[in-house]
Amino acid sequence: MLPIGPLRIDPPLVLAPMAGITDHVYRLMLRRIGGVGLVTMEFISSEAITRGNARQLRKLVFADEERPLSIQIYGSDAGRMAAAADIVEELRPDACDINMGCPANKVLKGCAGAALMGDLPLARAIVRAVKARLTIPLTVKFRLGLDPARINFLDLGRMCEDEGVAAVAMHARTARQMYTGQADRSRIAELKRHLAIPVVGNGDVATAEDALALFAETGCDGVMIGRATMKNPWIFRQIADRLAGGPAREAALDERRDLMLAHFDAIEASAHDAKEALHKLRTMTGWYTNGLPHGRALRVRISELRTPADFREAVAQFFDGLASLAAPAEALAS
Ligand SMILES: Cc1cc2nc3c(=O)[nH]c(=O)nc-3n(C[C@H](O)[C@H](O)[C@H](O)COP(=O)(O)O)c2cc1C
């Protein structure tokens, strides 16, 4: 169980915020599979929502079924961030998170995201201003520091604790590293040793075993996973199975097919046009067929399809074909 203020996140497993990925449809899909304790939205620009940007405001939609859910905001101006916190508070998610880890240049130039790690007084002012507007718990997500010469996650963690932040999440890379190299787990253990508030460890968890190792090696209170959920949306359920002492359930073929088709429906219903729907469907098919026999042939085929209906048919045929294989369990393992 991961305590975040009055929240009890159980299992202590968190969906990492991912811009362009962790939208309403994606979060619901993971919730329906089960095993995830807390889901997070894609980051939301404080500038955009406080200026009424319709596209960003649309991203703030969520359903009760997604709860517990956290909304992540970013920005470099304490006043704007406080105003964004007012909007978040009104929407009544279960928690609000401040992004101090995003290394994208667009965000860094505006001195938000990871750049805040290079300006602790500003980071503190932002945390204080946002906290003052919230009744829901506040969390902060950061990296090790800007680069190897400026590793300051312990100072950041302590600042958060002093300011009444309920929990922190750390992606154990520097901003300079972007996504290269390996996340350094020993740093998560170090942060955990120095803080009294809960610490969520993040970075490179690709399997249930990785998650168990992260808990065991660092003593972290929760594990956050991002990219691996795209290749294996069942990962949270598998970790939860292991945490409960049982074997991890693999996704059966019919479960994969049903999930994929249900996700298609949701994408089609929420996309603005067929082109956008097709783009998302193609990306998603790559995820779901990862590791399945003939998955590559399906991916090639769907790159030529032009309508969601053709798409659905190709996927249904693909799974029918797999089901008729003599030993589907062996096929899955190959
Ligand atoms: C496509 C993509 C988008 C991301 N967007 C965000 C974001 O909006 N906010 C954030 O704090 N981190 C963002 N991240 C970082 C992830 O939350 C996470 O810290 C990182 O991917 C490491 O975890 P992983 O190895 O489990 O993927 C993003 C990562 C990816 C790959």
Side-chain angles (χ1 to χ4, degrees), residues 4-6 96 124 127-128 130-132 134-140 156-168 197-198:
I4 302 184
C96 176
R124 184 187 288 275
V127 168
R128 192 172 288 174
V130 169
K131 172 94 181 36
L134 296 176
T135 61
I136 54 173
L138 173 65
T139 59
V140 177
L156 262 159
R158 280 195 208 102
M159 177 278 281
C160 289
E161 190 162 295
D162 289 351
E163 295 298 330
V165 166
V168 292
I197 55 174

Side-chain angles (χ1 to χ4, degrees), residues 115-195:
L116 288 180
M117 294 191 298
D119 188 343
L120 273 186
L122 177 59
R124 184 187 288 275
I126 286 177
V127 168
R128 192 172 288 174
V130 169
K131 172 94 181 36
R133 302 294 179 94
L134 296 176
T135 61
I136 54 173
L138 173 65
T139 59
V140 177
K141 178 167 179 275
F142 49 80
R143 289 188 174 221
L144 299 180
L146 285 175
D147 54 44
R150 288 177 286 178
I151 299 244
N152 61 347
F153 64 94
L154 291 180
D155 294 339
L156 262 159
R158 280 195 208 102
M159 177 278 281
C160 289
E161 190 162 295
D162 289 351
E163 295 298 330
V165 166
V168 292
M170 182 165 79
H171 175 191
R173 284 186 171 84
T174 63
R176 169 78 59 82
Q177 276 181 294
M178 306 282 283
Y179 294 93
T180 62
Q182 283 283 308
D184 183 352
R185 283 185 186 161
S186 68
R187 302 300 202 159
I188 296 172
E190 216 179 318
L191 183 64
K192 174 65 194 162
R193 282 198 302 276
H194 280 81
L195 296 188

Side-chain angles (χ1 to χ4, degrees), residues 174-236:
T174 63
R176 169 78 59 82
Q177 276 181 294
M178 306 282 283
Y179 294 93
T180 62
Q182 283 283 308
D184 183 352
R185 283 185 186 161
S186 68
R187 302 300 202 159
I188 296 172
E190 216 179 318
L191 183 64
K192 174 65 194 162
R193 282 198 302 276
H194 280 81
L195 296 188
I197 55 174
V199 170
V200 178
N202 171 236
D204 297 347
V205 170
T207 62
E209 296 312 313
D210 289 344
L212 296 182
L214 189 58
F215 277 118
E217 285 171 27
T218 68
C220 64
D221 304 274
V223 165
M224 174 184 272
I225 309 176
R227 291 166 298 173
T229 65
M230 296 187 241
K231 286 199 167 161
N232 178 13
W234 293 272
I235 190 167
F236 288 115

